Amino acid sequence: MAQDNATPVYFDDATGTLVFADERIELRPKTYAVAKFLAAHPQQVCSKETIMNAVWENSFVEDQAVFQSINEIRRKFAPTAVIQTYPRRGYAWLLPTTSQPAIQSQTQTATKRSKPRWLLLSVLVPVLLGSVTIGWFSFVDTGERSSWLQEGPRSKTTEHQALMVLPTDTTALTNDDRGLGFGALQTVLQRLPSDSDRTVFQASDVLDIMDRKPVTKPSDYFTVSGATQIISSQLSGVPGEYSLLFTVWQRDGTQRHGVLHGETLEKVISDYTEALMLQLFGELARPHRGTSSLLTTTLTHRAMTLLARGETQAAIPYLESAVLEHPEEPMQRFLLARSYLHLGQAESALPHIEAGLTALDALPPQPLRGRLLYLKGVALMANNLPAASHFLRAAQSQAEAQQDWLYHAYAKAMQGQVLIQQQHFSEAEPLLAESLRYQQLLNCPLGIVQGHLDYFDFYFAQGNTAKARAELQLAEQIVLERNLEMVQSTIEEYKIKLIKS
């Protein structure tokens, strides 16, 4: 497709397709409606709300539907610029339109799929703290009260207990869920019981206290409140793989840590509330969900805090210590193997992958098996592509059986990467497409970015630098729009690769 921003676009309502530069472009019905609406307002900045009201009138949809349609239109027109993004304002159509079809003879049907991909877990995602739906919580004490966990909730003081739950820190999230910090707080407060023995600060009280003084750590709020316990928490991850770290701060300086994993935010926040109710109020019978020691959980909590900040190398000693403390725990093996892969140390990762798979043989079926098989496939890609392909297919099968759709998509994307290296491009493209489509449905920015980078690899390997450049531009645009600083260096590496070609 020629890069000609003066070429007009013809909207064929009879077929629901567009004609541009001697090609017929097929779009989904709602995407076609979005394109036609924007084209009817050329050079005018249309907000997401305006587009939603025009295209999805009387329907309840999230604004990610607009984002997905915009992304689809850009892909079909690539490398021609068709829509300009104005951050926090909206979108504007750039091309002229015509009332006459531009094709007078036979046209080619552009069957450019909405191509997609996951995010190379071992490359882009230190924020992807390992999360499997098997995750329960471990709750540990860094002071002298380690028996508190086994004995149940108790207090050694006679002062009146006052609990302050802080809004959940969501700055590590990379999608539109960043604003749920106060929503999570409200959800927790609604479920926590109130009784005469303990005061639970309500949301308005918490906000008032937070306004009194800037702090460097949650325990600083003890000086401006009557709280005897303060709970802080941090969410990280992407749709399908979330982690929540939380700490109970005591006025006497001791801390207790917890780690939660879940595929959905609702699951993680629900477990968070349940954990607090159990440990602070003793209202729930504790289910048996693992036997991690207090030390193992403390080490894992510290490691995951570092991973959330992108400090993978610093996290590894804590994970190694956790594995030595509790070698039968597969989750720590998974986290350690993935950290090694992030650093490009496949040989160091493989023994922990094998040990994790062996440990899972004695446990009921769970998503972690498919995830470890996925890591094994990734680890083998450097020197054994047939074996890598075998384990990635096994990971996809396991993930499908456990309905772990995130890693089902990851495995397909990495199989696509194997096929690219083998130059089996016709087999690779459908796998990349399906993986990216999943990320677009989840509106996962990191996943969508990696999907475009996968397509960069796909086109670059075939010598099509124009389309590779277009994919890189789409990836960079999302990085800038969503302020994804953690992948900016990866974008720069791809730019250098393009320059050197």
Side-chain angles (χ1 to χ4, degrees), residues 278-480:
L278 169 61
Q279 298 298 341
L280 298 174
F281 297 91
E283 298 224 343
L284 300 174
R286 179 173 186 152
H288 179 73
R289 303 200 190 184
T291 57
S292 294
S293 69
L294 301 177
L295 177 57
T296 298
T297 305
T298 303
L299 293 167
T300 304
H301 184 281
R302 178 58 180 161
M304 293 176 70
T305 301
L306 292 168
L307 289 174
R309 299 203 299 255
E311 300 177 27
T312 307
Q313 187 65 65
I316 283 180
Y318 291 98
L319 290 171
E320 289 176 334
S321 298
V323 166
L324 289 173
E325 171 70 16
H326 196 178
E328 300 83 15
E329 173 53 57
M331 174 58 77
Q332 276 70 36
R333 298 278 190 181
F334 171 79
L335 293 171
L336 183 55
R338 194 178 59 188
S339 297
Y340 277 129
L341 286 176
H342 174 68
L343 297 176
Q345 301 174 18
E347 291 301 317
S348 297
L350 281 167
H352 295 290
I353 295 171
E354 296 294 352
L357 289 170
T358 300
L360 286 172
D361 288 339
L363 300 174
Q366 53 187 263
L368 193 55
R369 176 174 294 280
R371 298 186 175 201
L372 282 166
L373 287 170
Y374 166 82
L375 293 186
K376 187 171 183 178
V378 172
L380 293 171
M381 284 180 65
N383 52 28
N384 193 337
L385 288 179
S389 181
H390 168 77
F391 285 106
L392 289 170
R393 287 196 300 270
Q396 177 185 328
S397 177
Q398 283 285 331
E400 184 174 8
Q402 292 293 318
Q403 297 185 338
D404 184 6
W405 303 120
L406 181 66
Y407 274 76
H408 185 264
Y410 286 177
K412 286 195 171 188
M414 293 309 293
Q415 288 178 69
Q417 286 286 345
V418 170
L419 291 167
I420 289 172
Q421 293 187 44
Q422 296 173 328
Q423 297 190 334
H424 298 164
F425 300 112
S426 62
E427 299 174 49
E429 201 276 340
L431 293 169
L432 301 182
E434 187 169 349
S435 181
L436 180 55
R437 189 176 300 115
Y438 178 86
Q439 301 294 353
Q440 289 173 326
L441 289 173
L442 287 179
N443 191 27
C444 177
L446 283 174
I448 297 171
V449 166
Q450 185 57 53
H452 290 304
L453 295 180
D454 283 339
Y455 268 98
F456 175 100
D457 295 333
F458 176 78
Y459 288 122
F460 190 83
Q462 299 175 74
N464 192 336
T465 56
K467 287 194 173 182
R469 182 179 291 104
E471 295 294 338
L472 182 57
Q473 290 172 348
L474 290 172
E476 185 175 24
Q477 185 170 14
I478 297 171
V479 169
L480 294 175

Side-chain angles (χ1 to χ4, degrees), residues 463-501:
N464 192 336
T465 56
K467 287 194 173 182
R469 182 179 291 104
E471 295 294 338
L472 182 57
Q473 290 172 348
L474 290 172
E476 185 175 24
Q477 185 170 14
I478 297 171
V479 169
L480 294 175
E481 287 180 351
R482 300 299 186 96
N483 194 29
L484 304 177
E485 296 180 358
M486 73 287 292
V487 293
Q488 187 61 56
S489 61
T490 302
I491 296 294
E492 296 304 319
E493 290 173 5
Y494 273 79
K495 287 182 178 180
I496 293 172
K497 184 178 181 179
L498 196 61
I499 292 172
K500 290 182 177 180
S501 64

Side-chain angles (χ1 to χ4, degrees), residues 208-228:
D208 178 63
I209 293 169
M210 292 177 68
D211 286 340
R212 295 176 188 174
K213 175 185 177 181
V215 302
T216 58
K217 58 182 182 298
S219 58
D220 292 344
Y221 285 120
F222 284 123
T223 63
V224 291
S225 72
T228 57

Side-chain angles (χ1 to χ4, degrees), residues 109-360:
T109 301
T111 57
K112 299 180 180 179
R113 302 186 176 186
S114 70
K115 318 159 187 172
R117 168 11 155 98
W118 81 307
L119 47 104
L120 269 175
L121 193 61
S122 61
V123 177
L124 285 184
V125 208
V127 295
L128 277 182
L129 303 180
S131 55
V132 182
T133 323
I134 62 167
W136 173 233
F137 66 90
S138 299
F139 205 41
V140 302
D141 192 336
T142 58
E144 299 177 353
R145 306 181 184 179
S146 59
S147 61
W148 180 83
L149 179 65
Q150 291 85 355
E151 297 175 9
R154 62 188 175 89
S155 172
K156 291 185 177 180
T157 67
T158 57
E159 65 178 322
H160 180 77
Q161 297 294 298
L163 174 65
M164 177 179 172
V165 183
L166 297 174
T168 298
D169 180 358
T170 60
T171 54
L173 295 180
T174 59
N175 57 6
D176 293 334
D177 294 316
R178 287 183 177 181
L180 60 71
F182 285 94
L185 167 63
Q186 191 60 37
T187 299
V188 170
L189 293 179
Q190 287 174 350
R191 290 190 58 186
L192 291 178
S194 57
D195 54 43
S196 58
D197 296 328
R198 188 189 310 262
T199 296
V200 178
F201 293 171
Q202 297 305 300
S204 58
D205 304 323
V206 174
L207 293 175
D208 178 63
I209 293 169
M210 292 177 68
D211 286 340
R212 295 176 188 174
K213 175 185 177 181
V215 302
T216 58
K217 58 182 182 298
S219 58
D220 292 344
Y221 285 120
F222 284 123
T223 63
V224 291
S225 72
T228 57
Q229 294 172 316
I230 293 176
I231 299 178
S232 62
S233 56
Q234 180 185 32
L235 263 171
S236 61
V238 298
E241 192 168 31
Y242 290 106
S243 292
L244 187 146
L245 310 180
F246 64 98
T247 301
V248 176
W249 307 76
Q250 304 287 345
R251 185 177 282 275
D252 63 9
T254 57
Q255 303 168 29
R256 300 164 182 173
H257 300 297
V259 179
L260 293 161
H261 310 291
E263 291 188 358
T264 66
L265 290 170
E266 292 78 8
K267 169 67 174 172
V268 173
I269 293 173
S270 176
D271 281 354
Y272 174 41
T273 307
E274 185 177 342
L276 296 182
M277 290 179 67
L278 169 61
Q279 298 298 341
L280 298 174
F281 297 91
E283 298 224 343
L284 300 174
R286 179 173 186 152
H288 179 73
R289 303 200 190 184
T291 57
S292 294
S293 69
L294 301 177
L295 177 57
T296 298
T297 305
T298 303
L299 293 167
T300 304
H301 184 281
R302 178 58 180 161
M304 293 176 70
T305 301
L306 292 168
L307 289 174
R309 299 203 299 255
E311 300 177 27
T312 307
Q313 187 65 65
I316 283 180
Y318 291 98
L319 290 171
E320 289 176 334
S321 298
V323 166
L324 289 173
E325 171 70 16
H326 196 178
E328 300 83 15
E329 173 53 57
M331 174 58 77
Q332 276 70 36
R333 298 278 190 181
F334 171 79
L335 293 171
L336 183 55
R338 194 178 59 188
S339 297
Y340 277 129
L341 286 176
H342 174 68
L343 297 176
Q345 301 174 18
E347 291 301 317
S348 297
L350 281 167
H352 295 290
I353 295 171
E354 296 294 352
L357 289 170
T358 300
L360 286 172

